[in-house]
Amino acid sequence: MSSALTGLSRYPIVQAPMAGGASRPQLAAAVGATGGLGFLAAGYKTPAAMYEEIKHLRAQSDVPFGVNLFMPQPATSDPSAVAVYAEQLAGEAAWYETPLGDPDSGNDDAYEAKLAILLDDPVPVVSFTFGCPTRAVCEALARVGTVTVVTVTTVEEALAAHAAGADAVCVQGIEAGGHQGTHRDDPHAQGMGAGLGLLALIELVRDAVPLPLIAAGGLMRGTQIAAVLAAGASAAQLGTAFLVCPESGAHELHKRAMTDTTFTRTELTRAFSGRPARGLANRFLREHGPYAPVAYPQVHHLTSGLRKAAAKAGDPQGMALWAGQGHRLAREMPAGHLVEVLVDELEAARAGLAARAGLAAPQPRSGAGGVA
């Protein structure tokens, strides 16, 4: 299958754009320098801050990279539910000695301004989360040489991305850490855990649209990358695996929590943002998750100060500890070395499969295959 992603990286490994500070230029540069595709996360940043990070990354590296944008969100259907949730969080505000944020701080994440910058000064790849851009946007980015990728969690979303003219889709399984990139957070859905696992979703999307697929969701090892490539993905996107690297801008408490035996599982929750997101089950998640309304980004704005105050106080029980289901497999090592380890594991897995099938062994590392 011809792929618009060909030539963007030496290996089929993509570093996920993790909003909130983890995906800083140092991380994207290290991943890109070793043959992966690094990403910057524009979510929650001002347009000027996004552009500064792009300039910083370009100063460090001349390899291709991507920038992720959050799509504007519809108005909250029930503002009173946000007010009730704010009352419930009053005790948290008193405990951390910080006021709750303004839930009406905006719901478009400065999308148009960021898009204007990326059209004026193009980057190799732009991906979209929490919705699908219009065909006009995809065509405008194509005219300036930018590859467009839309995050999808269902076949219907993949069909919408294809109809809009996206070059590829990032297929996100329910195993993924952080926010589920659903195009619409349906309050009437049968539960946050009703999403599809990654391997099933790859097959379904592959049958539905003729686009290259980037697989995301709980991937931590080269063996898993081999599995999603065998299933039909063009590349694998890893977030939690890179979160603990020294180049990551994630808070140290967040990094340590990935392998801390205090945190035994992950859960999907709306407690911190009003949208389903997978994180380590801590006190805040357990106490407030069952009551959090469907209201993104209003709840995100409401709890932002609380999360920062908890981090400042050294209290991971009040932080949003986003993590995929494979978080206990995290390995603390430089990002470039992690890419090399993943490639070695990928090659070993391919060689093992070839040997069991009685086939010739694959090419050495230089033939591991880029994002194609």
Side-chain angles (χ1 to χ4, degrees), residues 156-218:
E156 291 74 20
E157 291 172 356
L159 290 169
H162 184 225
D167 295 307
V169 290
C170 178
V171 179
Q172 185 195 45
I174 197 72
E175 306 93 335
H179 284 93
Q180 288 288 296
T182 50
H183 292 188
R184 178 172 175 266
D185 186 11
D186 185 358
H188 305 296
Q190 294 191 354
M192 288 185 289
L196 290 167
L198 180 57
L199 287 177
L201 189 58
I202 289 172
E203 291 293 345
L204 290 167
V205 172
R206 197 171 153 227
D207 281 350
V209 298
L211 294 175
L213 314 182
I214 300 173

Side-chain angles (χ1 to χ4, degrees), residues 105-315:
S105 297
N107 61 356
D108 68 352
D109 201 48
Y111 172 76
E112 293 293 343
K114 292 173 182 176
L115 186 61
I117 291 172
L118 295 171
L119 288 170
D120 182 63
D121 191 0
V123 298
V125 186
V126 171
S127 67
F128 300 86
T129 301
F130 301 152
C132 183
T134 63
R135 173 169 281 277
V137 166
C138 289
E139 290 176 347
L141 287 167
R143 285 195 295 271
V144 297
T146 297
V147 172
T148 51
V149 181
V150 176
T151 303
V152 302
T153 62
T154 66
V155 169
E156 291 74 20
E157 291 172 356
L159 290 169
H162 184 225
D167 295 307
V169 290
C170 178
V171 179
Q172 185 195 45
I174 197 72
E175 306 93 335
H179 284 93
Q180 288 288 296
T182 50
H183 292 188
R184 178 172 175 266
D185 186 11
D186 185 358
H188 305 296
Q190 294 191 354
M192 288 185 289
L196 290 167
L198 180 57
L199 287 177
L201 189 58
I202 289 172
E203 291 293 345
L204 290 167
V205 172
R206 197 171 153 227
D207 281 350
V209 298
L211 294 175
L213 314 182
I214 300 173
L219 305 177
M220 302 291 291
R221 295 284 192 263
T223 50
Q224 295 169 299
I225 297 174
V228 297
L229 295 181
S234 296
Q237 179 171 287
L238 293 77
T240 304
F242 286 106
L243 186 144
V244 298
C245 294
E247 297 91 345
S248 160
H251 196 283
E252 287 303 315
L253 289 174
H254 193 171
K255 292 182 179 183
R256 291 201 295 269
M258 291 299 101
T259 53
D260 186 342
T261 55
T262 302
F263 303 101
T264 59
R265 69 185 190 281
T266 63
E267 290 184 16
L268 285 170
T269 184
R270 288 192 175 93
F272 297 101
S273 72
R275 237 185 188 276
R278 184 174 297 282
L280 299 177
N282 59 5
R283 179 195 60 79
F284 195 103
L285 183 154
R286 290 190 297 270
E287 292 183 2
H288 301 294
Y291 312 104
V294 179
Y296 176 87
Q298 288 78 13
V299 172
H300 162 77
H301 296 316
L302 196 68
T303 68
S304 178
L306 296 178
R307 289 177 274 130
K308 292 175 182 176
K312 186 176 180 180
D315 181 14

Side-chain angles (χ1 to χ4, degrees), residues 319-330:
M319 298 170 61
L321 303 173
W322 304 137
Q325 287 184 341
H327 66 95
R328 295 298 291 274
L329 298 172

